[in-house]
Amino acid sequence: MNFLFTLVKHARREWRGAELKPVLAALIVAVAAATGVMAFTDRVERALNARGSELVGGDGLLASRLPIAPEIVTRARDSGLKTSSVVAFPTVLFAGDLSVLVEIKAVESNYPLRGKLTAAPSAEAQALTAAPPAPGEMLLDPRAVAALEVQVGEMVDIGNARLRLAGVLRDDPEGAGSFLSFAPRALLHRDDVEALGLIGPASRAFYRLLIAGEPARINAFAEAIKPTLKGVRLTLAQDAEQQLAEVGRQARAFFGLAALSVLWLAALAIALTARRYTQARRDIVAQLRCFGLSRRRILLQLGGTLGVYALPAVALGVALGYGLQYMIAAGVEAIFAEPLPAPTLRAGGLGALVGVLAYFAFTMPALQQLTATSPARLLRNADDQLGWREIAAYPIALLVLTAAIYVLTGEGQVGVIAFIGISVLALCIASLLGALLRLVRWKPPGRRFATRQAWRQLASRPGTTLLSATSLALALTAVLLLGVVSSDLIRQWRSGLSSDTPNRFLLNIQPDQRAALTERLTAIGIEDPALYPFAVGRLVAINGARPVPENFDDPRAARFIDGTLNLSWSESLPDANTLTSGSWWSQGDEVSIAENWAQSLGLKVGDTLTVAIGDREVTARIASVRSVDWDSFRVNFFLLFKPETMTGIEGTYITSVRTNAEQGKALGRLLREFPNLTLIDVDALLSRILGVVDAIVSSLSAIFWCALAAAACVLLAAFAVTVGARRFEHALWRSLGAAQSTLRATQRLELAAIGAIGGGFGGVAALVTGWALAGNAFQIEYAAPWWIAPLGAGIGVVLCLSAGWIVLRSVSRTPPAQMLRA
Amino acid sequence: MTEPLIEAAQLSKTVVTAAGELTVLDDITLSVAQGESLAIIGESGSGKTTLLSLLAGLDQPTRGKLRLFGSDLATLDEDGRAALRLGRVGFVFQAFHLLPSFTALENVAAPLELAGIDGAMQRARSALEKVGLGHRLDHLPRQLSGGEQQRVAIARAFAVEPVLLFADEPTGNLDQATGARVSNLLFDLSSCGTALVLVTHDPKLAARCQRQMRLDGGRRVA
């Protein structure tokens, strides 16, 4: 009781000092960031886990670009399994003058085999369990209902048919693409598909066969069927669950690593402030030791004081963390079709634990050293260099932090590598700044005393300057890269596309429709569209031997070997293609292949390929390898045959066109005349993909703003360390005759310079990263937003001046007479 | 006759403590003329340092009149008093008070730059050479001995060629031999016309000044 009373009294006294507050600020930021990220990633993981079994809509599924062979269906039924077949393809729905691009899913009456289908009588009404649509009816996603402005009971045009809207689709258990759906979905009966006239070899239809039954039978069937599958992918529900769990783990690692930057800076701030806190107490501790107080008692008292204040700080950090997780989730939630599960206390608690671990780990070394203070300090002036106890305690602190990283990211090794990476980056920035400081010290710029003195002080306190500027640079690099450069890069990439890049694909054009379609396209202002023949095939042999995916290093090879191939044939080399080896057509059956395809399968000019197209097999020698500009958004193929080689092959045609808004609408209306065509709206697809990128960027930004807050804590801590020295300097300068205004200006200039250097460095680093991304990932000429560097510098100046105002404003009140009393 | 640099009349300083009002200095009258040297001596707690801080305008008296370079300090605020010292007053402190992160050269150049004197670095270099530290220009204070630090402090004080120098126990932190070398330097440099106000409890040092003033319990006793 007596101890507690002393502790509270001591804690109250400590609060009046300036040392404790920055430690607590750093703790609050660390706990908030860790709690926010943990709570958020837990929500994502639970959302994904809950969908694991729903994703498949059965206990397993077989998927292919070609119809599932009837023998497979029969074999599944013979194995005692229930089956339900699904075909999915994109098309356009019409209601009056309105149209919308949707993903059609045609299902059988027993759909789904697992899970529940729910629908509502209107967009606002509550959803109830629903039967799959009967022939002649459809269920439609709320986004499509809104786009078509239709009510349940009204008719919707699709292909050659007209179906009645039977309800608004809510939950669809077979969620292939449901939680990351790019286009609204429409469910209709399998029996209606043929009448629509929309399915053809090039219609981008996907066929799936759902299977359900006892686990033993499922496994036995899967084992038996696997070796015979060609171009068909088998997924079991348990695999899907594992895959989603993996996605969840990756999300946790991804956001956890982002939060690592916050933890890194917060740990730095905690270590710095704790050291200052203990240094200021060395003489008191020496006295207490001299009076006979035990080391343990001193440790309990000081550690207890830190603990007493840690409690409310952690509570505040957790509360802020929960607020933060809503900000992080707000961005990502837009990707999911439905809200994420509510956050749990457990996840938040774990986040708080991470923050508290970092707090105690990084205050302990300094405390340890403090309690070891010798009473002899009172007799001789010992310096305050790092002691061996403190140095020895930091590796333990790092170990504890490693454990914290593991909790945060779920990735021990990657987390530690990232931690080391941030440290190395910080070291590089610090080295560059260090060189700059040496230059400044050698020849301080400026003519005014305040300017020269500010530079000189900046250089004479390299520790403070480097810590502050480096922390600012690190945090601002992340914030500016995500906040400005990334969105600017994407915007420039997209506007770069818009000049003449095709934005609509038309597929499944029948040979007899070519002339009429070209005429109609010309009528709406699309001149001379290039129509390419198109067929679907499967790779059967390379140089006469059947390829085995396991023999190839590149994982994409399996997809090329097991999946279906889109083929074409052409007399001339298409635009956006360049030959890298071989020559264009000469003698015999020949094929030209894309460079990346050749690399994946280890092919070269002179090799032969055998491809099965329908019931025919075509063997051709590789005449050339082409580099293809896939970013051109033109019709491009991995395999391009010599027309003579493909004689007798019946294909459909495909084209890509550039349309403006009006032509886009006209193209939609054109589909009424040619209902079998499939229209792919690249603009809409790109918007949806970029929407996802934006959502993730905005979520990450929320975390990196925390990094900036942690950097502000480092600034507070680093400036606070200098308070004593600044008071002394202020008194000295005043005694030498310096005006108050001169000294204030000197201090402001010094702080502003730290902010400008650190912030400017952050801005430049973000720009350089942007350039590197533009050159390598986006391959565009990047008009970099140069104003980011001054913006970073400006933010840095504001932050440093604010931190200086908080911590250093008392310095100017130091009386000059103090010089004679020190 | 030229005007005295310092004119103090009936100076008193009281401070408020928990036990009540405490008189630190009581009724001190003195003057210091150009080139003159005055030693203020007395036991610890006799008010020597308080008097020095009042005379230098670092603190304000509770009662009495004080003129520095002919200006009434009571009419000036802290900035005004600082401006009065700028370039004309030097200080040598007992604890040296060098800027720890500045080199010896930067420490000596600091008041020159503050006063806006051209060629500050050159003058600082020659000041350090005068005190025998031309080979220690780029050393930080912690790399110098106590005697060397005080010599840097003396170089800093004389670099601006002050009219008036205040020294507060300049040899208090030094051993006897080093203290003697430092005091020789101090008196050699001030012999070129700089007035010196020296606070000390070393009778030998005090005896080198033209005048001595003894304080006891805040009052002048001799």
Side-chain angles (χ1 to χ4, degrees):
Chain A
M1 198 65 206
N2 187 30
F3 173 71
L4 273 181
F5 179 72
T6 316
L7 188 66
V8 170
K9 207 170 73 177
H10 183 247
R12 271 181 58 188
R13 209 169 38 232
E14 292 289 303
W15 182 251
R16 282 184 228 127
E19 293 90 5
L20 202 58
K21 288 160 200 159
V23 189
L24 297 175
L27 172 63
I28 292 170
V29 174
V31 169
T35 305
V37 169
M38 289 297 288
F40 162 71
T41 51
D42 175 66
R43 290 175 71 190
V44 171
E45 280 184 278
R46 280 185 295 131
L48 292 172
N49 290 341
R51 287 169 187 275
S53 52
E54 292 176 8
L55 191 72
V56 174
D59 296 327
L61 74 81
L62 293 135
S64 173
R65 285 283 309 279
L66 299 170
I68 306 286
E71 309 87 79
I72 295 177
V73 182
T74 313
R75 203 158 162 187
R77 285 184 184 151
D78 291 348
S79 305
L81 301 177
K82 283 193 276 184
T83 64
S84 181
S85 76
V86 176
V87 56
F89 54 91
T91 192
V92 178
L93 299 184
F94 296 93
D97 285 340
L98 299 171
S99 64
V100 64
L101 189 67
V102 292
E103 181 76 16
I104 297 288
K105 255 179 70 174
V107 298
E108 291 185 322
S109 303
N110 64 349
Y111 177 86
L113 298 179
R114 293 280 185 259
K116 260 191 326 191
L117 188 67
T118 66
S122 72
E124 296 79 26
Q126 202 184 345
L128 298 167
T129 305
E137 289 185 344
M138 68 159 62
L139 294 174
L140 205 50
D141 182 293
R143 285 180 287 167
V145 171
L148 292 175
E149 297 176 9
V150 285
Q151 305 288 330
V152 170
E154 291 181 352
M155 303 304 284
V156 175
D157 293 335
I158 169 171
N160 294 329
R162 175 170 271 211
L163 303 179
R164 193 182 77 89
L165 180 62
V168 180
L169 180 65
R170 287 282 166 79
D171 286 328
D172 176 9
E174 199 245 358
S178 75
F179 74 94
L180 281 173
S181 54
F182 288 101
R185 283 199 292 165
L187 238 68
L188 47 89
H189 198 275
R190 188 85 166 77
D191 292 351
D192 286 334
V193 171
E194 205 150 320
L196 304 176
L198 295 173
I199 301 284
S203 55
R204 297 197 65 76
F206 286 87
Y207 297 85
R208 294 195 283 273
L209 181 73
L210 310 184
I211 52 173
E214 290 169 23
R217 291 188 177 193
I218 290 281
N219 288 336
F221 169 73
E223 284 305 312
I225 199 92
K226 249 184 208 166
T228 66
L229 294 176
K230 287 191 186 73
V232 179
R233 190 166 45 85
L234 171 69
T235 309
L236 298 182
Q238 65 216 40
D239 299 338
E241 281 165 29
Q242 276 173 7
Q243 278 169 16
L244 277 189
E246 186 54 37
V247 171
R249 272 195 292 278
Q250 283 169 357
R252 187 169 152 208
F254 184 64
F255 283 96
L257 289 177
L260 202 60
S261 56
V262 185
L263 211 59
W264 191 94
L265 288 166
L268 183 66
I270 288 170
L272 210 60
T273 42
R275 198 169 138 68
R276 173 173 174 254
Y277 173 79
T278 54
Q279 267 179 1
R281 276 148 194 80
R282 288 253 164 105
D283 288 337
I284 301 167
V285 169
Q287 282 176 29
L288 292 174
R289 295 273 293 131
C290 196
F291 298 151
L293 211 63
S294 73
R295 206 172 265 179
R296 189 176 150 269
R297 180 70 190 258
I298 294 170
L299 184 66
L300 274 176
Q301 193 162 317
L302 289 167
T305 303
L306 290 173
V308 164
Y309 284 113
L311 284 176
V314 167
L316 184 58
V318 168
L320 288 173
Y322 272 101
L324 175 71
Q325 71 85 21
Y326 279 110
M327 282 170 68
I328 304 171
V332 169
E333 222 159 11
I335 306 172
F336 285 79
E338 52 192 68
L340 293 170
T344 60
L345 274 177
R346 187 184 155 274
L350 271 176
L353 180 72
V354 168
V356 171
L357 275 176
Y359 176 61
F360 279 105
F362 281 87
T363 48
M364 210 36 84
L367 270 185
Q368 186 74 17
Q369 184 66 26
L370 179 62
T371 54
T373 304
S374 162
R377 182 186 169 86
L378 294 174
L379 301 176
R380 57 183 158 75
N381 234 344
D383 60 12
D384 291 322
Q385 299 297 312
L386 278 170
W388 68 265
R389 279 170 192 277
E390 197 170 352
I391 294 169
Y394 278 114
I396 301 171
L398 282 172
L399 270 180
V400 175
L401 195 70
T402 310
I405 292 168
Y406 183 76
V407 173
L408 192 68
T409 61
E411 292 273 354
Q413 201 184 348
V414 178
V416 170
I417 290 172
F419 190 83
I420 294 170
I422 297 174
S423 307
V424 170
L425 182 67
L427 213 63
C428 292
I429 297 175
S431 309
L432 277 169
L433 288 177
L436 183 73
L437 286 185
R438 275 194 293 280
L439 194 73
V440 162
R441 181 151 206 175
W442 176 62
K443 203 167 171 58
R447 288 198 62 80
R448 281 175 56 211
F449 170 78
T451 316
R452 290 175 66 80
Q453 200 54 28
W455 282 112
R456 193 169 278 144
Q457 292 201 1
L458 203 69
S460 71
R461 271 191 272 270
T464 309
T465 308
L466 292 182
L467 271 175
S468 316
T470 304
S471 306
L472 256 182
L474 270 181
L476 276 173
T477 303
V479 168
L480 293 174
L481 186 64
L482 280 175
V484 186
V485 175
S486 66
S487 50
D488 193 60
L489 257 179
I490 292 171
R491 188 182 53 75
Q492 287 194 29
W493 174 71
R494 210 178 169 182
S495 64
L497 291 181
S498 61
S499 52
D500 63 344
T501 311
N503 56 355
R504 299 281 192 285
F505 281 79
L506 279 169
L507 290 76
N508 205 25
I509 305 162
Q510 300 305 312
D512 58 358
Q513 291 177 321
R514 277 187 290 170
L517 183 69
T518 307
E519 191 182 308
R520 297 289 190 285
L521 287 175
T522 311
I524 60 171
I526 301 167
E527 300 287 342
D528 197 21
L531 299 180
Y532 294 91
F534 179 88
V536 177
R538 208 160 35 74
L539 183 64
V540 177
I542 296 172
N543 294 328
R546 184 188 148 89
V548 182
E550 287 75 29
N551 294 347
F552 295 91
D553 293 335
D554 191 336
R556 289 178 304 174
R559 200 152 45 85
F560 297 144
I561 294 167
D562 290 338
T564 48
L565 299 172
N566 296 336
L567 325 165
S568 187
W569 49 99
S570 172
E571 202 63 65
S572 58
L573 185 67
D575 291 345
N577 284 247
T578 328
L579 286 193
T580 56
S581 63
S583 56
W584 203 237
W585 312 138
S586 52
Q587 298 296 312
D589 289 332
E590 286 180 324
V591 61
S592 171
I593 61 174
E595 201 171 31
N596 46 350
W597 206 77
Q599 281 162 0
S600 294
L601 293 172
L603 299 171
K604 57 186 184 309
V605 172
D607 289 341
T608 60
L609 293 179
T610 307
V611 175
I613 304 161
D615 51 5
R616 259 191 67 182
E617 284 198 358
V618 175
T619 300
R621 189 186 75 90
I622 298 175
S624 60
V625 176
R626 290 166 290 129
S627 106
V628 180
D629 179 10
W630 298 101
D631 289 347
S632 69
F633 282 87
R634 294 179 195 286
V635 176
N636 279 312
F637 296 92
F638 285 128
L639 268 70
L640 207 54
F641 284 87
K642 192 157 96 176
E644 291 78 24
T645 307
M646 301 299 266
T647 309
I649 301 276
E650 269 296 308
T652 59
Y653 287 80
I654 176 171
T655 188
S656 64
V657 293
R658 170 82 212 165
T659 63
N660 56 29
E662 274 309 304
Q663 289 169 326
K665 284 182 194 160
L667 204 59
R669 287 192 294 273
L670 203 65
L671 290 195
R672 283 186 173 240
E673 201 180 327
F674 302 96
N676 62 302
L677 300 195
T678 299
L679 176 71
I680 305 237
D681 184 344
V682 179
D683 279 347
L685 201 63
L686 264 184
S687 295
R688 184 71 187 148
I689 293 168
L690 295 181
V692 171
V693 173
D694 272 351
I696 292 170
V697 163
S698 86
S699 295
L700 280 177
S701 296
I703 299 171
F704 284 128
W705 281 110
C706 279
L708 203 58
C713 287
V714 176
L715 290 183
L716 286 173
F719 293 165
V721 170
T722 64
V723 168
R726 284 177 193 274
R727 282 205 180 118
F728 158 74
E729 288 161 9
H730 184 87
L732 181 65
W733 286 116
R734 292 292 275 157
S735 70
L736 294 175
Q740 184 79 275
S741 54
T742 307
L743 296 181
R744 282 202 184 122
T746 306
Q747 183 161 299
R748 280 195 207 115
L749 280 170
E750 182 192 339
L751 299 180
I754 292 176
I757 293 171
F761 217 94
V764 170
L767 272 182
V768 170
T769 316
W771 263 316
L773 281 174
N776 297 315
F778 289 83
Q779 292 173 347
I780 55 169
E781 284 284 320
Y782 183 45
W786 58 268
W787 47 266
I788 285 204
L791 174 71
I795 296 173
V797 168
V798 170
L799 275 176
C800 280
L801 288 179
S802 307
W805 184 80
I806 293 168
V807 184
L808 302 176
R809 67 179 187 279
S810 67
V811 167
S812 62
R813 292 198 289 267
T814 316
Q818 191 172 300
M819 290 317 296
L820 296 166
R821 313 215 176 275
Chain B
M1 188 176 160
T2 54
E3 197 179 10
L5 301 178
I6 301 172
E7 272 184 288
Q10 295 164 327
L11 286 185
S12 292
K13 177 77 180 174
T14 53
V15 291
V16 180
T17 67
E21 208 169 74
L22 177 74
T23 301
V24 188
L25 275 180
D26 190 17
D27 198 26
I28 306 290
T29 298
L30 64 88
S31 72
V32 177
Q34 196 160 6
E36 196 179 11
S37 59
L38 168 70
I40 303 169
I41 51 176
E43 302 298 318
S44 292
S46 59
K48 306 186 294 290
T49 300
T50 304
L51 179 58
L52 187 79
S53 69
L54 292 183
L55 297 180
L58 302 180
D59 201 356
Q60 284 186 291
T62 316
R63 279 185 304 277
K65 281 214 169 282
L66 178 59
R67 295 175 77 84
L68 182 65
F69 304 129
S71 298
D72 183 356
L73 292 188
T75 62
L76 299 171
D77 61 6
E78 209 172 280
D79 263 354
R81 297 198 301 272
L84 214 53
R85 289 191 294 271
L86 185 62
R88 288 196 278 186
V89 172
F91 280 97
V92 177
F93 303 101
Q94 179 178 0
F96 324 135
H97 289 331
L98 300 175
L99 292 165
S101 52
F102 277 31
T103 61
L105 185 67
E106 287 169 338
N107 261 291
V108 177
L112 292 164
E113 288 196 337
L114 181 66
I117 296 169
D118 286 338
M121 283 295 173
Q122 191 47 48
R123 276 180 68 164
R125 193 172 284 120
S126 95
L128 278 166
E129 278 161 5
K130 268 187 200 163
V131 299
L133 290 175
H135 60 298
R136 298 280 206 192
L137 299 178
D138 294 326
H139 284 61
L140 291 171
R142 67 165 184 274
Q143 296 164 323
L144 300 171
S145 69
E148 286 174 327
Q149 287 190 50
Q150 195 60 303
R151 276 150 69 193
V152 175
I154 290 170
R156 177 179 66 187
F158 282 101
V160 289
E161 296 173 0
V163 182
L164 179 58
L165 182 83
F166 292 101
D168 179 30
E169 303 277 13
T171 58
N173 276 5
L174 304 172
D175 61 62
Q176 213 173 357
T178 312
R181 272 202 298 277
V182 163
S183 58
N184 285 342
L185 195 61
L186 194 63
F187 280 97
D188 285 353
L189 289 171
S190 60
S191 64
C192 306
T194 302
L196 173 69
V197 178
L198 173 74
V199 163
T200 182
H201 51 237
D202 178 358
K204 281 186 190 164
L205 191 61
R208 297 181 69 170
C209 291
Q210 291 160 340
R211 288 194 296 138
Q212 291 86 33
M213 188 175 109
R214 178 174 290 279
L215 293 183
D216 188 13
R219 295 185 66 88
R220 180 172 182 172
V221 292

